[in-house]
Amino acid sequence: MNFVTSDGVRLAYQEAGQPTWPAVVFVNGFGGYQAVWTAQIDYLVALKVRVITYDHRNSGASQHTTRGLTINRLAQDLVELCHQCQVTRPLLVGHSMGASVTWAALAQQQLAIRAILSVDQSPKMLNTPTWPYGFQQVTTATLANALNQRPTTSETLHGLVPIVAQPLVNAKAAHPFDKQANQPLLRDHYQQDWRSTLVASTVPVTMIQAQQSPYYQSGYGECLHQQNPHVTAVTLPDCGHDPMAEIPVGFNQTLRHFVLKTKG
């Protein structure tokens, strides 16, 4: 299915479950595809949860465009998708950069969000002497080099389970991701700082930290919990950056707890 945003960009999305059920909206990371949530869809539908997945603008099956490549515009896309699907008080699940999109939607206050689950994403990408939880060792001084570097480490610890790996291979073959064309978005992502938004939030936020993440060290969730009890941290073992596709059984247990606690 497709819908067109307020600035004229076509976004591809899929729905599963009944329209009257509480809705979980999954939000992809940078260069991600909605197929990465394959192991969660049937699981949630069995719990009588409505599931919505989609591809960001300039990614996947959505329209490829140079317009609106910022976190705040992607958050507006998310809000408009929820309105299009007549979703009230969604549960938002954001992976990597997708978590930042959910936090931007929270800050915009245009959507009544029930709760947010973030997956392996620090609220501030750039490291400082007082913030060691950013992306690898990237700082303001090294950002330009980081934007142009190819990955030197594997994103996953053991690879993806077959039920997810094959749909992702198919999606990537059908709609290759152009990292260079998305550089403005990546730069914007690096420069955001969502800590103040999360510290002020009355919306429950659960932060999943991947114990063997190649990108972030654990601790940012606990740091924010100390400042706001509405923020809680969960660390998942034996996985890298993509726990929903690496250890879906363990991830789905955490997801189930999050949904049942907040969907009522």
Side-chain angles (χ1 to χ4, degrees):
M1 294 181 284
N2 296 283
F3 89 103
V4 178
T5 65
S6 59
D7 65 340
V9 175
R10 178 188 56 78
L11 297 187
Y13 72 99
Q14 298 292 329
E15 292 188 68
Q18 299 299 315
T20 55
W21 292 349
V24 169
V25 182
F26 287 108
V27 188
N28 304 332
F30 181 77
Y33 296 81
Q34 54 186 307
V36 78
W37 306 106
T38 299
Q40 282 69 57
I41 295 173
D42 289 345
Y43 181 83
L44 287 181
V45 170
L47 294 176
K48 297 190 182 303
V49 174
R50 182 184 179 194
V51 178
I52 298 172
T53 63
Y54 72 105
D55 289 326
H56 294 301
R57 59 176 62 207
N58 212 35
S59 297
S62 291
Q63 181 178 338
H64 289 210
T65 176
T66 59
R67 284 183 285 152
L69 298 182
T70 68
I71 296 296
N72 277 312
R73 180 60 244 191
L74 265 58
Q76 185 62 37
D77 291 347
L78 169 59
V79 170
E80 292 177 9
L81 173 61
C82 289
H83 292 163
Q84 162 74 17
C85 295
Q86 299 182 322
V87 171
T88 57
R89 300 191 66 215
L91 301 167
L92 303 181
V93 179
H95 172 234
S96 195
M97 183 197 73
S100 295
V101 174
T102 70
W103 300 332
L106 179 64
Q108 289 176 1
Q109 298 184 340
Q110 298 180 45
L111 182 66
I113 300 168
R114 190 185 302 267
I116 293 174
L117 179 68
S118 66
V119 184
D120 205 45
Q121 176 61 55
S122 170
K124 177 175 167 59
M125 290 277 283
L126 295 176
N127 293 277
T128 69
T130 60
W131 184 257
Y133 305 113
F135 186 86
Q136 294 184 329
Q137 304 300 315
V138 179
T139 65
T140 300
T142 62
L143 175 57
N145 288 336
L147 288 168
N148 295 310
Q149 283 182 343
R150 292 181 176 273
T152 57
T153 57
S154 174
E155 186 166 289
T156 66
L157 187 63
H158 302 298
L160 306 183
V161 295
I163 192 176
V164 182
Q166 191 56 57
L168 269 178
V169 167
N170 296 341
K172 290 178 179 181
H175 306 284
F177 180 71
D178 188 339
K179 183 178 179 180
Q180 189 59 40
N182 282 280
Q183 283 288 298
L185 175 60
L186 185 58
R187 179 180 292 276
D188 185 63
H189 175 39
Y190 265 108
Q191 294 174 327
Q192 299 294 335
D193 183 352
W194 301 107
R195 291 177 297 177
S196 62
T197 296
L198 294 171
V199 168
S201 177
T202 57
V203 171
V205 177
T206 300
M207 308 186 85
I208 290 180
Q209 304 168 134
Q211 192 171 65
Q212 286 84 20
S213 172
Y215 300 144
Y216 307 105
Q217 69 174 33
S218 296
Y220 52 85
E222 289 83 358
C223 180
L224 289 169
H225 174 70
Q226 292 175 3
Q227 301 173 72
N228 182 357
H230 293 292
V231 178
T232 58
V234 176
T235 300
L236 292 183
D238 197 35
C239 61
H241 185 56
D242 306 321
M244 64 286 193
E246 295 179 64
I247 54 164
V249 173
F251 179 87
N252 286 350
Q253 290 175 349
T254 300
L255 179 63
R256 180 179 184 275
H257 178 71
F258 166 76
V259 168
L260 294 182
K261 180 176 67 174
T262 56
K263 80 171 185 175

